[in-house]
Amino acid sequence: MTENFKVEFLQEAAEFLDNIDEKAREKIIYNIRKAQIINDKTLFKKLSGETWEFRTFFNKTFYRLFAFWDKFDKTDTIVVSTHGIIKKTDKTPKKEIKKAEKLRLQYLKQKYSKQ
């Protein structure tokens, strides 16, 4: 099976994964790998604008990793995960979407100002 996109984690997303329960982290990574192969809105869903989220429900807990597409380098399609949260309900806080957008703009500015 081929991946539809590659996934990169910004520092805050990697730290989020490092600081959660090992079984939850394994489930999240499993779901991300699955989302790379199949198009499933329960795993990877557009929130608004350029912001997407990897979605995992594990052990009665909602885990979300916010992400965006980096399609500027025409050789690879990359989804960049900005940060993660643990939610008690299925509703996504607006401030987290804004944070993901801010991190996306910082990433793009930093990456493409070097070229």
Side-chain angles (χ1 to χ4, degrees):
M1 299 230 180
T2 55
E3 295 176 347
N4 295 319
F5 54 86
K6 295 182 181 330
V7 178
E8 291 181 2
F9 298 95
L10 296 183
Q11 182 177 347
E12 203 169 324
E15 287 171 1
F16 172 77
L17 290 172
D18 287 345
N19 291 316
I20 60 173
D21 175 75
E22 184 180 347
K23 294 271 187 221
R25 180 173 49 250
E26 288 172 3
K27 179 68 173 180
I28 291 168
I29 298 299
Y30 172 82
N31 281 352
I32 289 172
R33 291 202 187 337
K34 196 171 166 185
Q36 288 175 285
I37 297 166
I38 63 167
N39 187 0
D40 183 344
K41 284 187 168 52
T42 60
L43 299 174
F44 188 54
K45 179 181 169 189
K46 184 172 188 169
L47 290 175
S48 68
E50 301 294 324
T51 305
W52 290 66
E53 67 179 357
F54 288 107
R55 305 158 56 91
T56 299
F57 182 69
F58 178 73
N59 209 9
K60 299 183 182 140
T61 306
F62 295 98
Y63 295 89
R64 296 293 185 263
L65 277 173
F66 296 90
F68 62 89
W69 294 84
D70 177 355
K71 298 181 192 172
F72 298 98
D73 177 5
K74 299 296 181 208
T75 54
D76 289 322
T77 300
I78 300 169
V79 172
V80 180
S81 178
T82 58
H83 69 291
I85 62 168
I86 295 173
K87 302 190 316 176
K88 300 291 182 233
T89 68
D90 198 29
K91 191 151 172 54
T92 303
K94 295 246 185 289
K95 71 175 186 156
E96 299 299 339
I97 296 171
K98 286 181 180 158
K99 180 177 181 176
E101 177 61 14
K102 182 179 158 202
L103 291 168
R104 180 183 81 84
L105 293 172
Q106 285 175 351
Y107 167 90
L108 293 174
K109 183 178 178 185
Q110 192 172 27
K111 182 173 180 179
Y112 294 104
S113 66
K114 293 176 184 169
Q115 294 180 348

